[in-house]
Every structure is written in C-alpha cells, then in structure tokens.
Amino acid sequence: QRQEPVGRIAREAETDEGGRIEFRELPAAAYGLAVSPPAGFIRPMRSQSVRLADGESATLVVRLDRGGAITGHIFDEAGDPLSRVAVRAMGKDVAGWSGRLNMVGTSGPTDDRGEFRIYDLPPGEYYVWASPSVHVGQFPLVGSDRREPRVGYVPTWYPGAPNLDGARRVRVQSGQDSSGVDFGVLQGRLGRVTGIALDAAGNTLAPRSSVSLISRSPETAGAGRGASVGPDGSFAIEDVTPGDYYLAAFASAGQGHRNIPPACRMP
C-alpha cells in the first residue's frame, strides 16, 4: 500500500467487462472520480465528485464520448497538394468562459496528397488553421532574391481566410469523421526582424543564445519563428509572416534567461 500525503486519499482500479468499478472501505471525505478512457474515447472535461459520510455509499455514472475527426487536404496557390504541413483544430477553452480559442488537436504532417486528419476531438465546433509557424519542414517559397521581400505561405483559416473573421466552423460529432475540409494556403510578403540581443547590464548575449518571435494573438499562441545569436549578439529572423509578436531572448547556459518585453509588428 503506497504512502499518501497527509489529508489526501488516492485509489486506482480498472473497470470490469461491464464498465463497473468499486472502491471499498473509504473513510469519510470528499472524493473526485477521474477517468482515463481507452483509445478512441475522450477524457471527460470535468471529474465527478461526491462527499461521503462514515459508512455511506454512492454511485457515480461517467459517460464517455467517442472522439471525432476532421479530415481534408491542403493545397498551394496552383491547386496542387502541399505535403509536410501541420494543421490545427481550434476550439473554445475547456472552461468555456473566456471566449478564447485554444488548440484542441493537431494533425501529423500532410502526406504527398496534401491530406491531413485531426482525431480524438470532443464533439463540438472547431476552426481549422494552417500556418507556416506550425508546419513540419519548410513551406516552399517564391523567389530567391534575399535583398527583396520574399513571398511565402501565411497563416490561413478554413476555407481560405487570412483571419478568424472569415473562417468557417467545422462541426464534429461523436465517433464520426467530418471530411471534405479542403482549402488552399494563402501567400503574402514575408518580413525580416534583426537586432542585437543584450542582457540587463547591456552586454551582448553569448553565442548559442537564441531569440524567438511568439505570436501575441490568443488564437495562434505558440506560433512564431526564431534564430540563433551571433558572436556579436546580432540576430536575424527570416521569413516572418504578418502579425503581432512578442520578442523573447533565451540566454545560453550560465547567462540565465531573459525575455525582451517590447512587441514587434510585421505589417
């Protein structure tokens, strides 16, 4: 019998063939029942809870939903399939009160047919988003003159919108695939961010430090690009898609960690 922290009681067991489980000889306390579902089912958003008095018993019923999926294809500007692209399903936060979107699921890289599949999604409505910031590998670029603005693929919402205002929601039902979510990724000018990374004392960060651009939008949190810091503290972040970003610096071992507070905007 494992030792438990003071004031905490924890028990684990597996369900039988009928899906039943029983915990015996529980002392009086408040309990929460959390479930780890089998493959193909979705973990409940909230645990069941009950308060037991001495000698009291209670029955809790947990209903598990089967996961749904979103499938589709990603195309380039000519209508040809794009491979090695990751796609996100964005939905409201679990608590449902903030109104913000969070990533609920993401696909593996699209195959040579541009096909993706986002699975294990709880029933609900989702926005689907493809972005160079979350792709696997490198999006192809148009043009090769580094002195001129480069043109590349920019964040795109299904069915081909540059922002959330023009996006269309996809409904997912329990145990079913929502197919036919096909759209092309838009092109736009890619920017370049350069600068010098300094510590609090004004000294340049050591080589092997890095800087990152992190999206300020809650809908695309986590998206961004980065670069290594050179011997003189300089950095250049290439192929930045339009948007608002935070700029963060990550010092190499021995220098600690520092975030650079000013935000950057790529028009």
Side-chain angles (χ1 to χ4, degrees):
Q1 184 175 7
R2 67 184 182 184
Q3 193 169 11
E4 297 161 349
V6 176
R8 183 182 176 207
I9 302 167
R11 299 288 188 274
E12 294 180 1
E14 294 184 358
T15 55
D16 60 20
E17 294 179 355
R20 293 180 295 269
I21 193 170
E22 185 176 11
F23 298 99
R24 294 177 174 272
E25 299 179 358
L26 294 174
Y31 294 91
L33 179 63
V35 178
S36 297
F41 289 86
I42 303 301
R43 183 187 298 274
M45 291 185 180
R46 295 177 177 86
S47 64
Q48 296 274 12
S49 61
V50 65
R51 179 176 290 276
L52 296 178
D54 287 332
E56 187 178 11
S57 63
T59 300
L60 298 178
V61 178
V62 179
R63 301 188 184 278
L64 299 178
D65 285 319
R66 290 186 177 274
I70 298 174
T71 65
H73 298 80
I74 302 296
F75 302 103
D76 64 14
E77 71 286 354
D80 296 324
L82 275 175
S83 61
R84 298 185 297 276
V85 179
V87 186
R88 286 178 171 179
M90 311 290 291
K92 287 188 177 181
D93 64 338
V94 174
W97 57 268
S98 73
R100 292 185 175 183
L101 294 180
N102 288 333
M103 184 184 72
V104 182
T106 185
S107 73
T110 53
D111 59 21
D112 58 328
R113 299 167 296 182
E115 187 172 9
F116 70 89
R117 187 171 190 269
I118 309 172
Y119 58 94
D120 280 350
L121 295 174
E125 293 187 337
Y126 300 93
Y127 294 99
V128 179
W129 181 65
S131 168
S133 302
V134 294
H135 73 279
V136 178
Q138 181 67 39
F139 271 68
L141 296 171
V142 179
S144 58
D145 190 347
R146 302 294 290 181
R147 293 171 298 179
E148 299 296 330
R150 293 178 60 161
V151 175
Y153 296 105
V154 299
T156 306
W157 298 83
Y158 172 76
N163 51 56
L164 189 59
D165 292 338
R168 182 188 305 165
R169 288 176 292 183
V170 177
R171 178 177 292 276
V172 173
Q173 298 183 10
S174 177
Q176 298 184 18
D177 282 10
S178 297
S179 58
V181 182
D182 307 330
F183 62 107
V185 180
L186 300 173
Q187 286 191 343
R189 295 201 319 170
L190 302 179
R192 188 170 188 258
V193 177
T194 62
I196 304 292
L198 306 173
D199 63 18
N203 301 313
T204 58
L205 295 186
R208 298 188 302 278
S209 300
S210 63
V211 293
S212 294
L213 288 175
I214 304 170
S215 175
R216 298 182 66 190
S217 169
E219 288 81 22
T220 57
R225 299 186 71 89
S228 298
V229 174
D232 59 352
S234 64
F235 64 88
I237 304 176
E238 307 285 354
D239 303 331
V240 180
T241 59
D244 294 320
Y245 299 87
Y246 292 106
L247 181 62
F250 301 88
S252 61
Q255 283 196 310
H257 171 272
R258 175 173 178 254
N259 284 335
I260 302 175
C264 296
R265 179 177 178 83
M266 295 303 301

